[in-house]
Amino acid sequence: MALLEILEFPDPRLRTRAVPITEYDDALSRLIDDMFETMYAAPGIGLAASQVDVHRQLIVMDCSADRSEPLVFINPEILARDEVGVMEEGCLSVPGIFDEVERAQRVRARARDRKGKDFECELDGIRAVCLQHEMDHLDGKLFVDYLSMLKRDRIRRKLEKDRRERLAKVPAGAAASR
Ligand code: GNR
Ligand code: NI
């Protein structure tokens, strides 16, 4: 198992469109395990492969309070959405920023599991919101795209400043990732 580096806004690689997965092999299973480890360590309730610079249609999620509900969505599709509402969102790729986004609070989805088996499920509340947030990542979209340009620019400048300060503090060569 391994912790993966999470890309941060405004990294242009986060804008890449993910392609469908066609091979359900050991390498895919290892990537899924590494994404769960990375998500749990962060900690987060979801992680899209796009965030770890793998541009394939793969999402891991666990929205349970005790981290006992690992879910894998490969090549996901939303079949139906219902009950639009507002929820406060955050994103591991936009650290420290939280704001309200309007989305369906109930979705019916179809996807494949790590073995390639088709399944359908009904999600509501945070699970429905999280799946839509993750599917946006696969399309190269971030929750800050729903905010005003003014807010997005302010967030971009703050994260660029945070990143500069972080890099200045770490001795050359010691950083795991730049
Ligand atoms: O950890 C996360 N929390 C969260 C809270 C509200 C709505 C969406 C999310 S997803 C986020 C992890 C993440 O960035 N996934 O892409
Ligand atoms: Ni996110």
Side-chain angles (χ1 to χ4, degrees):
M1 300 254 277
L3 286 178
L4 307 171
E5 181 195 346
I6 299 176
L7 303 178
E8 292 181 8
F9 176 73
D11 193 312
R13 291 173 290 180
L14 286 167
R15 299 311 190 174
T16 313
R17 251 176 189 285
V19 299
I21 283 178
T22 53
E23 304 241 38
Y24 298 85
D25 53 12
D26 287 351
L28 176 66
S29 244
R30 269 196 301 276
L31 172 61
I32 291 169
D33 291 341
D34 289 346
M35 283 177 58
F36 272 117
E37 192 183 4
T38 303
M39 179 193 80
Y40 286 127
I45 59 171
L47 188 69
S50 318
Q51 292 176 277
V52 294
D53 205 22
V54 175
H55 302 286
R56 292 192 271 155
Q57 292 177 19
L58 165 63
I59 289 163
V60 299
M61 273 173 46
D62 189 339
C63 297
S64 68
D66 59 356
R67 326 241 77 192
S68 63
E69 199 180 272
L71 301 173
V72 175
F73 295 87
I74 293 171
N75 304 344
E77 295 168 69
I78 304 256
L79 304 174
R81 11 185 132 228
D82 214 340
E83 288 177 41
V84 172
V86 163
M87 205 177 274
E88 174 123 311
E89 296 195 18
C91 181
L92 296 173
S93 296
V94 193
I97 306 292
F98 301 89
D99 213 327
E100 292 185 336
V101 178
E102 195 177 275
R103 299 188 195 266
Q105 305 293 303
R106 181 180 293 277
V107 299
R108 177 146 197 93
R110 179 181 25 230
R112 291 178 186 273
D113 67 14
R114 71 161 79 207
K115 292 184 173 156
K117 190 178 174 332
D118 241 309
F119 68 93
E120 282 190 23
C121 63
E122 187 108 27
L123 302 174
D124 62 11
I126 186 68
R127 290 169 180 76
V129 167
C130 190
L131 181 65
Q132 294 169 87
H133 173 116
E134 304 311 338
M135 285 180 67
D136 273 353
H137 278 300
L138 301 183
D139 286 335
K141 192 160 183 176
L142 301 172
F143 87 94
V144 294
D145 298 344
Y146 296 103
L147 309 178
S148 68
M149 191 155 52
L150 181 72
K151 275 193 180 178
R152 195 162 50 253
D153 275 349
R154 227 182 255 150
I155 292 166
R156 179 178 49 74
R157 283 197 300 272
K158 179 181 188 298
L159 293 193
E160 283 172 346
K161 179 166 173 277
D162 289 352
R163 189 169 180 80
R164 276 197 308 275
E165 288 174 359
R166 214 172 343 149
L167 291 181
K169 278 200 191 107
V170 182
S177 63
R178 336 207 118 193

